[in-house]
C-alpha cells in the first residue's frame, strides 16, 4: 500500500493542547462501498491499490498507510448558540497528503472509533449518513462550491446502535484542513496566549501564506476568512442549499463547506425552510444562514482580540469593523451570482429588486427553486401557478426589458444562465432513494445518482429524470445529524 501515499504532519507541530495521538479502532470486515476514483488520482493515490485486498483495510483504519501519524483534533464550538468543549469524537486524522501538484489535504477517517473527545459516544458512524456526506459533498464540488470532499465510504461489517441497528461505515474525508472557528474558540478558552498565537500563525501558513511575516497578519487573516465565508454562503443561497447545523465548530477557516449532517436542498422555494430534526426554532433556516455566518465570524473575531492590538479597545474596533463588513461582501457576492442566474452582464441599480421580486413570487406560488431558473434559462416558462400568474408575466416583461439594455445577445445570455443554473441538484427524495437501496446492499441507484450529479451544468438529456421534483406529499422532509 505504499503507492502514492505522501503524508506529512504539520498540524502535529502545534502545541499538544490541540490534539491527542489516537489510532483508529479496527473493524471486523472492511469492504469498500464506494471509491472516488477521480479524487484518488488528484491526490496522487493508486486507485488500483486502494481497490485491492489491502485498500479497504487502510481506508477503514485497520492498517495505517506509510507515514501515518494518526491523531484526533480538539476544538470547541457554539452549538445552537451555547458554548461547548468538543473535539473529534469519532474522527481520526491520518495526516496531510501532499498531492502531485503540491497541494496539501487532510485525510480523515470519520467513524473510526472512540477518542478522548467522544463524550460517551461509540465513535462509530452508520452507512446512511456517511453516504449522504459522500453524495452531497461531491455534488457541491461539481456545483463549484468550496467543500470538503469524500474519497471513500467503507463498510465495517459491524452494526451500530442508533434508534435501530444500522450497518456501520467509515467515511474518508478530504479537506484543505479541519481548522474551525471552534478550534480558535478552544484555544482562547483553554490555552495560553502562546497557544493562540501558534494556532493563528499555523492557520496563516496553511491558508493565507502570503500574509506570513506581516505585522497586521492577524487582522488580514480575519478579513480573509470573512471574505471566504461571505462568498461561500452566497453560493449556498444561490443553489438553495440548507446546511442545517451551522454551529461554530462546523465553520472551517479554509472557506470550505464542512460536515454534511442534516443538510438538504430546497425543492419548493421557502425562505423559512428547515430540514433538521433538532432545529426546532429555525435558527439555521435557509434565510438565516447569512446572519448566522456573521454571528459565527463575530465569535471568531473575539478569539483574535489579543492578537489584533495590545490596546483592547482598538482591537475591538478593528474586529467590529471587519465583521460588520460581512453583510456588504455577502450582498455583493449574492447579487453577482443572481445576475448570472438571470443572464445579466452589466449592472443596474434595480437588479437586486428584480431578483427579490422573482423570489417573492416563487415563494407565493410555491415554485420549485431550481426548475424555475431552468425554465427561464431555456425559455419554457409556461405551465404552473407561478408562470400563469399575471404578477409573473409582469415581472417577466421587466426582466426581458432589462436584458435588452445590455450588449450581449440571446445566445450569450442563455450560455451565461446555463453556466449558473444547474440542471440537477441532489434532490432529497433521490438521495433518500439511493440511501435506502444502499442500506439493502444495492449501490446501483447511488451510482446512477452520482453520474447525474457529476456535471450539473452540462444540461444533458439523461439528467432530466433526476431534475424532477418529488411527488406531492403531506409529510415534511426531515433530516437527522447521523451521530
Amino acid at each position: 500500500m505504499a503507492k502514492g501515499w505522501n503524508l506529512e504532519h504539520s498540524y502535529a507541530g502545534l502545541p499538544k493542547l490541540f490534539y491527542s495521538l489516537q489510532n483508529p479502532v479496527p473493524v471486523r470486515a472492511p469492504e469498500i462501498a464506494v471509491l472516488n476514483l477521480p479524487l484518488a488520482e488528484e491526490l496522487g493515490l493508486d486507485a488500483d491499490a486502494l481497490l485491492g485486498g489491502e485498500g479497504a483495510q487502510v481506508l477503514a483504519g485497520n492498517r495505517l498507510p506509510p507515514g501515518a501519524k494518526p491523531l484526533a483534533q480538539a476544538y470547541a464550538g457554539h452549538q445552537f448558540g451555547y458554548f461547548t468543549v468538543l473535539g473529534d469524537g469519532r474522527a481520526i486524522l491520518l495526516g496531510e497528503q501532499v498531492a502531485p501538484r503540491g497541494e496539501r489535504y487532510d485525510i480523515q477517517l470519520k467513524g473510526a472509533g472512540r477518542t478522548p473527545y467522544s463524550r460517551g459516544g461509540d465513535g462509530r458512524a452508520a452507512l446512511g449518513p456517511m453516504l449522504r456526506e459522500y453524495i452531497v459533498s461531491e455534488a457541491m464540488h461539481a456545483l463549484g462550491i468550496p467543500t470538503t470532499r469524500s474519497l471513500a465510504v467503507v463498510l465495517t461489517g459491524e452494526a451500530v446502535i442508533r434508534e435501530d441497528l444500522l450497518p456501520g461505515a467509515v467515511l474518508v474525508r478530504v479537506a484543505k484542513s479541519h481548522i474551525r472557528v471552534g478550534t480558535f474558540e478552544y484555544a482562547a478558552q483553554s490555552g495560553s496566549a502562546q497557544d493562540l498565537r501558534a494556532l493563528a500563525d499555523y492557520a496563516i501558513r496553511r491558508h493565507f501564506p502570503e500574509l506570513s511575516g506581516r505585522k497586521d497578519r492577524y487582522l488580514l487573516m480575519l478579513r480573509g476568512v470573512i471574505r471566504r465565508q461571505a462568498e461561500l454562503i452566497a453560493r449556498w443561497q444561490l443553489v438553495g442549499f440548507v446546511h442545517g447545523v451551522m454551529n461554530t465548530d462546523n465553520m472551517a477557516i479554509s472557506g470550505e463547506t464542512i460536515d454534511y449532517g442534516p443538510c438538504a436542498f430546497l425543492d419548493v422555494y421557502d425562505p423559512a425552510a428547515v430540514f433538521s430534526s433538532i432545529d426546532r426554532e429555525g435558527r439555521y433556516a435557509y434565510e438565516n444562514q447569512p446572519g448566522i455566518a456573521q454571528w459565527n465570524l463575530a465569535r471568531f473575531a473575539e478569539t483574535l482580540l489579543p492578537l489584533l492590538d495590545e490596546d483592547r479597545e482598538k482591537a475591538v474596533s478593528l474586529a467590529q469593523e471587519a465583521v460588520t463588513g460581512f453583510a456588504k461582501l455577502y450582498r455583493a457576492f449574492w447579487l453577482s451570482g443572481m445576475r448570472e442566474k438571470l443572464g445579466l452582464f452589466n449592472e443596474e441599480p434595480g437588479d437586486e429588486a428584480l431578483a427579490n421580486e422573482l423570489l417573492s413570487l416563487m415563494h407565493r406560488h410555491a415554485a420549485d427553486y431550481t426548475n424555475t431558473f431552468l425554465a427561464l434559462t431555456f425559455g419554457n416558462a409556461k405551465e404552473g401557478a407561478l408562470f400563469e400568474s399575471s404578477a409573473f408575466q409582469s415581472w417577466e416583461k421587466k426582466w426581458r426589458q432589462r436584458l435588452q439594455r445590455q450588449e450581449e445577445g440571446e445566445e450569450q445570455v442563455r450560455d451565461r444562465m446555463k453556466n449558473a443554473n444547474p440542471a440537477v441538484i441532489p434532490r432529497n427524495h433521490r438521495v433518500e432513494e439511493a440511501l435506502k437501496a444502499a442500506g439493502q446492499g444495492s449501490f446501483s441507484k447511488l451510482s446512477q445518482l452520482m453520474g447525474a450529479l457529476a456535471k450539473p451544468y452540462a444540461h444533458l438529456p439523461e439528467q432530466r429524470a433526476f431534475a424532477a421534483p418529488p411527488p406531492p406529499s403531506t409529510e415534511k422532509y426531515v433530516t437527522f445529524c447521523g451521530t
Side-chain angles (χ1 to χ4, degrees):
M1 281 303 300
K3 294 184 178 179
W5 289 101
N6 186 22
L7 294 173
E8 295 185 356
H9 307 281
S10 63
Y11 189 88
L14 285 170
K16 295 295 190 295
L17 170 80
F18 293 106
Y19 64 89
S20 296
L21 297 178
Q22 176 70 49
N23 284 327
V25 179
V27 301
R28 183 182 302 138
E31 178 184 353
I32 294 177
V34 57
L35 178 67
N36 190 334
L37 297 176
L39 180 55
E41 181 178 354
E42 185 178 330
L43 293 170
L45 298 175
D46 188 321
D48 290 335
L50 292 176
L51 288 169
E54 293 187 7
Q57 298 286 336
V58 170
L59 296 178
N62 283 17
R63 297 180 186 174
L64 296 178
K69 186 178 181 180
L71 58 84
Q73 295 176 319
Y75 51 85
H78 276 85
Q79 298 194 314
F80 288 87
Y82 297 95
F83 181 80
T84 308
V85 175
L86 302 161
D88 286 333
R90 57 172 177 168
I92 303 292
L93 179 67
L94 294 181
E96 302 142 22
Q97 173 75 1
V98 180
R101 292 185 296 183
E103 304 97 328
R104 181 180 299 267
Y105 297 99
D106 280 5
I107 307 294
Q108 184 194 73
L109 305 184
K110 186 174 179 179
R114 298 191 66 192
T115 77
Y117 315 112
S118 294
R119 297 175 296 157
D122 62 8
R124 293 304 188 187
L127 175 63
M130 297 304 96
L131 286 177
R132 177 187 293 276
E133 178 155 346
Y134 186 98
I135 293 168
V136 182
S137 64
E138 287 306 300
M140 292 283 273
H141 174 71
L143 287 164
I145 298 172
T147 178
T148 60
R149 297 188 64 189
S150 300
L151 176 62
V153 175
V154 184
L155 290 160
T156 63
E158 300 172 355
V160 295
I161 303 173
R162 298 299 182 257
E163 292 80 6
D164 300 302
L165 283 177
L166 301 171
V170 173
L171 172 78
V172 186
R173 183 159 69 184
V174 177
K176 289 184 178 178
S177 87
H178 286 83
I179 305 171
R180 312 153 190 263
V181 167
T183 314
F184 280 84
E185 290 185 290
Y186 181 73
Q189 179 76 13
S190 304
S192 65
Q194 291 76 19
D195 293 328
L196 176 64
R197 188 177 297 274
L199 176 63
D201 285 339
Y202 175 74
I204 288 170
R205 291 194 301 272
R206 188 92 183 249
H207 297 298
F208 301 93
E210 70 280 4
L211 304 180
S212 294
R214 291 193 54 157
K215 186 176 180 180
D216 57 352
R217 60 189 179 277
Y218 305 117
L219 177 61
L220 294 178
M221 177 183 70
L222 172 60
R223 290 175 179 170
V225 171
I226 289 171
R227 183 177 183 84
R228 289 184 184 184
Q229 289 295 330
E231 183 173 12
L232 176 66
I233 306 304
R235 291 189 178 189
W236 287 4
Q237 302 299 100
L238 289 165
V239 297
F241 174 72
V242 182
H243 184 278
V245 61
M246 286 181 66
N247 299 326
T248 56
D249 53 292
N250 290 333
M251 177 174 275
I253 300 304
S254 64
E256 293 181 308
T257 311
I258 187 171
D259 213 333
Y260 293 88
C263 64
F265 281 76
L266 297 178
D267 289 312
V268 168
Y269 177 70
D270 179 7
V274 174
F275 300 106
S276 170
S277 64
I278 60 175
D279 192 2
R280 297 179 181 89
E281 303 299 323
R283 177 181 174 87
Y284 298 140
Y286 171 77
E287 65 184 346
N288 292 343
Q289 292 185 140
I292 288 296
Q294 187 171 30
W295 190 92
N296 289 350
L297 289 164
R299 307 289 76 75
F300 177 51
E302 288 168 355
T303 71
L304 297 178
L305 290 178
L307 304 178
L308 296 181
D309 199 276
E310 293 180 358
D311 183 326
R312 183 172 176 83
E313 286 190 12
K314 185 175 180 181
V316 169
S317 177
L318 290 170
Q320 287 178 334
E321 181 182 6
V323 173
T324 301
F326 172 88
K328 183 177 181 180
L329 285 168
Y330 166 78
R331 178 176 173 271
F333 283 123
W334 179 85
L335 185 54
S336 175
M338 192 56 72
R339 284 191 175 105
E340 292 178 5
K341 292 176 77 70
L342 292 174
L344 306 180
F345 285 84
N346 60 342
E347 299 179 8
E348 289 189 6
D351 291 344
E352 187 171 8
L354 185 70
N356 283 326
E357 183 182 352
L358 173 61
L359 294 175
S360 178
L361 290 170
M362 289 165 62
H363 185 208
R364 186 188 313 169
H365 293 282
D368 186 273
Y369 182 81
T370 302
N371 287 349
T372 295
F373 284 101
L374 282 177
L376 294 175
T377 299
F378 293 99
N380 54 4
K382 297 177 182 178
E383 298 180 359
L386 169 67
F387 303 132
E388 294 169 1
S389 69
S390 59
F392 172 80
Q393 291 163 13
S394 174
W395 177 88
E396 185 179 25
K397 182 178 179 181
K398 286 188 285 186
W399 173 54
R400 296 202 178 279
Q401 290 172 342
R402 171 67 179 85
L403 291 175
Q404 291 173 3
R405 295 196 297 272
Q406 58 185 20
E407 296 180 359
E408 290 76 12
E410 184 176 332
E411 184 175 350
Q412 291 170 291
V413 167
R414 179 165 295 185
D415 286 343
R416 186 172 181 81
M417 295 178 72
K418 285 170 63 177
N419 290 328
N421 295 312
V424 62
I425 56 168
R427 292 279 179 179
N428 304 319
H429 66 296
R430 287 293 194 176
V431 172
E432 295 299 330
E433 181 182 66
L435 297 183
K436 181 179 179 180
Q440 297 170 347
S442 173
F443 292 86
S444 60
K445 289 187 181 297
L446 173 67
S447 179
Q448 293 166 8
L449 177 60
M450 297 306 297
L453 296 171
K455 296 181 179 180
Y457 302 107
H459 299 278
L460 302 172
E462 54 266 33
Q463 292 173 317
R464 290 172 188 159
F466 294 91
S473 174
T474 58
E475 295 184 7
K476 182 177 180 291
Y477 182 67
V478 178
T479 57
F480 301 87
C481 284
T483 53

